[in-house]
Amino acid sequence: MSDETYTVTIEPIGAEIKCRADQTVLDACLREGVWLPHACTHGTCGTCKAQVLEGDLDLGDASPYALLESERDEGAALLCVAKPRSDVTIEGEVDVDDGVEIHPVRDYAGRVVELAEVSAGVRRLRVALTSPIPFNPGQYVLLRTPDGETRPYSLAGLPGDTIELHVKRSADGLATDGWIFKDLAVGDDVSVSGPYGQFFLRPARDEPVLLLAGGTGLAPMKAILQSLASTGCSRQVVLYHGVPTVDDLYEHEWLERFAASHQWFSYRPALSRDSFDGRTGRVPVLVAEDYPRAAGHVAYLCGSPEFVADSMKALMKARLFPRDIYREDFFDSADRASGRNVVRSPLIGR
Ligand SMILES: Cc1cc2nc3c(=O)[nH]c(=O)nc-3n(C[C@H](O)[C@H](O)[C@H](O)COP(=O)(O)OP(=O)(O)OC[C@H]3O[C@@H](n4cnc5c(N)ncnc54)[C@H](O)[C@@H]3O)c2cc1C
Ligand code: FES
């Protein structure tokens, strides 16, 4: 850890924070409780782009697709990967929605207490932490791999001292194939930091809710559902969970039980290759059939970038505005390398 620290001033609020030379500006801000927009925290999506007004930043490992050469020339930076080389002043968007509490990022040590194969290629990982982590339902943690890299995983439970993550195996993936699906075992020590992200339930919005999840995009939805149940929900909530076949469904019994005990909630598994209740189809197609007009809803989308993009298109065609749609794209190293799906409209739910 570097001893060298610099002062980062965030305009227009004028907040001043200390940032180590080996720390990203976003990390320093989030640890001080200064909220800045961010999503992937790995230089891939461009959500944390900000203008440097004064001083010098090392731009770090910013994807050339998320931070274009011309933007670099004009003094823009991705704060999730940029580190200070001098005192700096940046211009950040520091808007926080009403009714949302910001929880500063902290490091947490923990021990694996469950590692269960919940469907082919998906593991549920439960980690008991040495102290409880507060977060808004929908947010994620960064899990540190034995190689010192970090990978984002959405929190599937309620805030507390045991966290639940749903992890999908990636062929030749460093964290999954190389660790979580290989050597990791119950009893192992792990460390996480968090909470991160701006994909979380907006409690102040009282419209009926559409939750659209692809694969392990179910994880933050499970947290959102439990949070709604714990605070007493008065709006209709419909969850579509898209997977290829019946064998890929997971948390199916839990969701059926949850639907049976909460009359405000409907669970609609969507199988793209098998049929379910006589229906076969991808989530965006089924949603388009069920909601020719979706105006008046608020939607939360989570899964692969392709799943989120297709679901977004379906909802916008059904007249739902971008301001009514919140999204979490599960970008990975392949998306980062290819730049596919990373160019996002600044209008889309943040
Ligand atoms: C905000 C957020 C939340 C997330 N939450 C979840 C979650 O709850 N559950 C979940 O399962 N996933 C989640 N993800 C995705 C997850 O963080 C990892 O990306 C995923 O688990 C793969 O990690 P890995 O280290 O195994 O694979 P990586 O090593 O990152 O590789 C991923 C794939 O890309 C390929 N690859 C690696 N490098 C390159 C390259 N240079 N060029 C081309 N291909 C390459 C690999 O072979 C592999 O198939 C989330 C992602 C984000 C951004
Ligand atoms: S949050 Fe910085 S690029 Fe995604």
Side-chain angles (χ1 to χ4, degrees), residues 62-236:
S63 148
Y65 304 97
L67 186 66
L68 304 177
E69 206 56 53
S70 55
E71 294 174 313
R72 292 168 198 245
D73 292 346
E74 285 161 14
L78 300 183
L79 299 183
C80 69
V81 286
K83 296 172 185 165
R85 279 196 193 132
S86 70
D87 290 345
V88 285
T89 303
I90 57 156
E91 189 169 34
E93 264 179 64
V94 282
D95 258 6
V96 180
D97 290 9
D98 287 349
V100 171
E101 192 181 348
I102 297 304
H103 302 289
V105 165
R106 298 275 179 268
D107 297 319
Y108 295 88
R111 183 157 291 173
V112 177
V113 291
E114 184 192 25
L115 190 54
E117 200 90 26
V118 288
S119 72
V122 175
R123 286 191 167 180
R124 184 174 57 221
L125 172 62
R126 282 205 175 94
V127 176
L129 304 176
T130 49
S131 58
I133 178 170
F135 60 89
N136 293 314
Q139 287 193 291
Y140 69 88
V141 287
L142 290 179
L143 177 65
R144 188 162 289 278
T145 72
D147 320 66
E149 297 284 320
T150 58
R151 291 290 183 269
Y153 293 104
S154 303
L155 291 151
L158 286 173
D161 50 17
T162 298
I163 55 168
E164 175 179 324
L165 311 177
H166 301 166
V167 182
K168 180 179 176 235
R169 183 176 201 152
S170 274
D172 301 324
L174 177 89
T176 57
D177 236 4
W179 179 45
I180 299 170
F181 286 79
K182 193 175 168 211
D183 307 321
L184 187 68
V186 169
D188 283 0
D189 290 334
V190 293
S191 61
V192 299
S193 60
Y196 295 95
Q198 52 203 41
F199 177 77
F200 46 74
L201 179 70
R202 298 321 198 256
R205 301 201 60 160
D206 57 4
E207 300 99 321
V209 178
L210 290 172
L211 304 176
L212 275 48
T216 47
L218 181 62
M221 307 308 189
K222 192 177 171 193
I224 287 173
L225 287 173
Q226 291 173 95
S227 171
L228 285 167
S230 71
T231 51
C233 183
S234 55
R235 47 203 143 149
Q236 284 303 306

Side-chain angles (χ1 to χ4, degrees), residues 262-322:
H262 299 91
Q263 48 106 21
W264 45 266
F265 173 62
S266 307
Y267 165 47
R268 299 186 188 166
L271 309 180
S272 55
R273 287 198 227 134
D274 282 352
S275 87
F276 204 92
D277 283 344
R279 292 179 93 190
T280 306
R282 297 181 62 242
V283 168
V285 175
L286 299 184
V287 168
E289 279 172 22
D290 295 351
Y291 295 88
R293 284 189 74 85
H297 287 77
V298 59
Y300 297 84
L301 323 180
C302 183
S304 70
E306 293 80 4
F307 172 88
V308 173
D310 290 350
S311 300
M312 184 88 202
K313 273 186 219 146
L315 289 173
M316 286 176 67
K317 229 172 162 177
R319 305 288 163 90
L320 199 59
F321 289 110

Side-chain angles (χ1 to χ4, degrees), residues 26 37-49 66 78-81 140:
L26 180 72
H38 65 284
C40 74
T41 53
H42 280 72
T44 307
C45 71
T47 308
C48 63
K49 200 176 293 171
L78 300 183
L79 299 183
C80 69
V81 286
Y140 69 88

